[in-house]
Amino acid sequence: MNIGVIIPLVIFLIGIFAIGFIASKQMSGEGGFLQQYFLGGRELGGFVLAMTMVATYGSASSFLGGPGTAYTVGFGWILLAMTQVVTGYFVLLILGKKFAILGRKYNAVTMIDFLKVRYNSPLVAILSAIAIIVFLFSAMTAQWVGGGRLIESLTGLQYTTALFIFAISVLVYVTIGGFRAVALTDAVQGAVMVIGTLVLLIGVIIAGGGVPAIMQDLINENPRLVTPYGADGTLTAAYVSSFWILVGVGVVGLPQMAVRAMSYKSSRAMHRALVIGTIVTGFIMLNMHLIGVFARPIMPGIDIGDKVIPLVALEVLPPWLAGVVLAAPMAAIMSTVDSLLLLVSSAIVKDVYLNFIKPDASETTVKRMSFGVTGILGIIVFLFALQPPDLLIFLNLFAFGGLEAAFIWPVVLGLYWKYGNKYGAILSMITGIVAYIAIHFYNTANGNLLGVHTVTIPVVLSFVAYIIGSIAIERKAFRY
């Protein structure tokens, strides 16, 4: 066990716990417990909003799986990853003021609250809750695995023990502090991610003898590593451009991002977040994936992509600095998993229990349910994560694609097209989910259908289904 690496990480975790505790003390009664616990009282400023969006989106895939894949595939994967730069911009630009205004008007605490009122349909709410619970379990499992593997790499502890430490760390501050704790810790974690990325990039470039030397080593090994087409030439223009739907504009349909678009306090805060979020996302995505490629000549032969970043940090930096830098991927993983945990908890407590089981539950009961469900969910995900897959990114992307196919059109067209109705929303969600799962398994067995990413065809089909369902059945304008 490397004590020099462990100490900075322990200090980081203590700091996160302290923020969670302070956030729990700041929860006021204004707006009720649900508004405070699941939405932070709609009081986020521009910087915190930007950083919580960046930190929520920047996950184990961004800091471990993505750079690990760039290590294997080369510069082509960096080009593909850069399509994510505009993610936060698109989310706030498309949902923007209208989503926040309607969220307040409908007293919506979750995205499902908004959909339920917009479409006046319990079935839309039930389908949404099922989709969130099923797909976000996959995403949470991927993050849990990433956290466990990171601690395992740093400490030498067994994976199960490392996973247990990670799970306890997240559960403590999420259960106590709710959304406010998640947003505040996201802001700190986002700053740690930026600093860690910069320090590690400098360390890798110095260790590799400078950028020209690293590039020459890559060309000597395989000239395709520095082309847009990948080490084996499989990254086609159709695949890269369609990948943008998954990690760019399609993110509008992710519940964990949409809920943040209703949590800011003013339009000024939203505009600041647009600028800050786009710059920070671009910085992190570009440089973390560059680190993944640059690590290849320095440490050739790493078999498990998820271990590239921890191993190269330990190789090129002093132990204490490696500990500081590796707090960045730890921050990324924790900031994503805490958001997902709270989102699934809200889907169960707010969207299922309060809507359909006990609408007249007292605030004390709701508090106990929220704390209890959050804790139990964490334990269940821990059990799922005990048998991890080799590469995190594909499990994570499976969950992202499923949610985008389910929600993008009911959310976006529900905001901007007055003739969209519950029949269109239900047909779109079912079509998107079924098509995504079917095409995922088809592509796994036969290669990508039409050469495009798995999410592309389901998103197109769910759009067509929304239009047909809305026009063909009960065409009636909605009054916002």
Side-chain angles (χ1 to χ4, degrees):
M1 183 179 296
N2 194 330
I3 298 299
V5 176
I6 302 301
I7 289 175
L9 276 176
V10 171
I11 293 173
F12 168 74
L13 290 176
I14 291 173
I16 294 299
F17 289 154
I19 292 171
F21 180 75
I22 292 169
S24 69
K25 296 298 180 187
Q26 288 181 340
M27 269 200 285
S28 66
E30 188 177 347
F33 171 78
L34 287 171
Q35 295 262 358
Q36 289 290 330
Y37 190 75
F38 290 122
L39 213 53
R42 305 182 200 271
E43 296 171 353
L44 298 193
F47 178 76
V48 175
L49 175 63
M51 297 311 274
T52 189
M53 293 192 76
V54 170
T56 298
Y57 186 71
S59 63
S61 294
S62 308
F63 280 81
L64 296 177
T69 306
Y71 175 92
T72 304
V73 177
F75 270 76
W77 197 260
I78 297 177
L79 178 65
L80 187 143
M82 289 309 291
T83 57
Q84 303 171 78
V85 171
V86 294
T87 295
Y89 189 87
F90 265 111
V91 171
L92 290 178
L93 192 69
I94 294 175
L95 299 183
K97 296 176 186 175
K98 191 163 186 177
F99 194 59
I101 291 170
L102 290 179
R104 285 169 167 81
K105 181 179 178 182
Y106 300 161
N107 198 27
V109 175
T110 66
M111 191 179 83
I112 298 177
D113 281 343
F114 166 78
L115 293 175
K116 186 184 174 193
V117 177
R118 169 61 181 84
Y119 295 108
N120 190 26
S121 168
L123 185 55
V124 169
I126 292 171
L127 278 174
S128 303
I130 292 172
I132 285 177
I133 292 168
V134 169
F135 284 112
L136 286 190
F137 254 109
S138 297
M140 275 201 293
T141 303
Q143 305 305 317
W144 237 244
V145 171
R149 277 204 174 136
L150 183 59
I151 294 176
E152 177 193 19
S153 301
L154 296 177
T155 63
L157 293 170
Q158 287 189 339
Y159 172 74
T160 305
T161 306
L163 182 65
F164 181 76
I165 292 172
F166 176 79
I168 291 296
S169 303
V170 173
L171 279 173
V172 166
Y173 76 84
V174 175
T175 304
I176 292 175
F179 186 90
R180 188 186 297 276
V182 168
L184 290 176
T185 52
D186 280 357
V188 175
Q189 289 160 345
V192 171
M193 287 155 62
V194 171
I195 296 169
T197 299
L198 180 61
V199 172
L200 185 55
L201 178 66
I202 293 171
V204 168
I205 290 174
I206 292 173
V211 174
I214 293 173
M215 295 296 289
Q216 190 58 53
D217 288 340
L218 291 169
I219 293 171
N220 291 341
E221 181 191 346
N222 180 356
R224 284 183 168 175
L225 284 168
V226 298
T227 70
Y229 308 110
D232 56 2
T234 55
L235 292 179
T236 63
Y239 185 82
V240 172
S241 55
S242 62
F243 194 83
W244 181 70
I245 294 176
L246 178 72
V247 298
V249 69
V251 177
V252 171
L254 290 180
Q256 65 269 35
M257 300 298 282
V259 74
R260 279 158 172 73
M262 62 169 77
S263 63
Y264 55 85
K265 64 182 178 183
S266 65
S267 55
R268 185 184 177 193
M270 187 197 77
H271 291 142
R272 286 189 66 192
L274 275 172
V275 177
I276 297 171
T278 303
I279 293 172
V280 174
T281 301
F283 179 85
I284 291 174
M285 290 299 168
L286 173 63
N287 292 312
M288 282 309 300
H289 287 79
L290 273 176
I291 291 168
V293 178
F294 287 176
R296 191 177 179 95
I298 298 169
M299 296 190 73
I302 299 175
D303 295 328
I304 299 178
D306 301 330
K307 292 188 174 180
V308 169
I309 293 300
L311 290 177
V312 77
L314 293 170
E315 174 71 18
V316 305
L317 298 174
W320 68 271
L321 191 53
V324 174
V325 166
L326 290 174
M330 179 66 77
I333 296 166
M334 292 178 74
S335 60
T336 299
V337 82
D338 58 23
S339 302
L340 300 184
L341 188 60
L342 203 60
L343 196 65
V344 178
S345 173
S346 69
I348 293 174
V349 175
K350 178 72 174 63
D351 302 320
V352 176
Y353 180 75
L354 281 179
N355 280 343
F356 300 106
I357 298 176
K358 197 169 184 180
D360 58 346
S362 68
E363 184 158 301
T364 304
T365 303
V366 173
K367 276 185 182 177
R368 288 174 181 165
M369 280 288 297
S370 302
F371 294 151
V373 166
T374 305
I376 291 170
L377 281 172
I379 294 170
I380 294 173
V381 178
F382 170 79
L383 295 175
F384 271 105
L386 286 174
Q387 296 293 328
D390 279 341
L391 206 58
L392 292 172
I393 190 167
F394 292 110
L395 183 57
N396 199 29
L397 293 183
F398 178 81
F400 269 32
L403 288 168
E404 290 174 3
F407 290 118
I408 185 169
W409 301 122
V411 171
V412 175
L413 294 181
L415 273 177
Y416 294 105
W417 190 43
K418 63 183 179 182
Y419 289 108
N421 62 30
K422 63 182 178 183
Y423 303 105
I426 293 168
L427 197 58
S428 175
M429 291 169 70
I430 293 174
T431 301
I433 293 171
V434 172
Y436 185 80
I437 294 173
I439 292 176
H440 172 81
F441 286 110
Y442 175 87
N443 287 351
T444 302
N446 305 292
N448 289 325
L449 183 63
L450 303 180
V452 297
H453 188 274
T454 306
V455 76
T456 309
I457 295 173
V459 165
V460 173
L461 292 177
S462 64
F463 173 76
V464 173
Y466 187 95
I467 299 297
I468 291 175
S470 297
I471 292 177
I473 309 172
E474 199 178 74
R475 191 173 189 274
K476 183 179 176 183
F478 178 77
R479 296 184 64 182
Y480 289 98

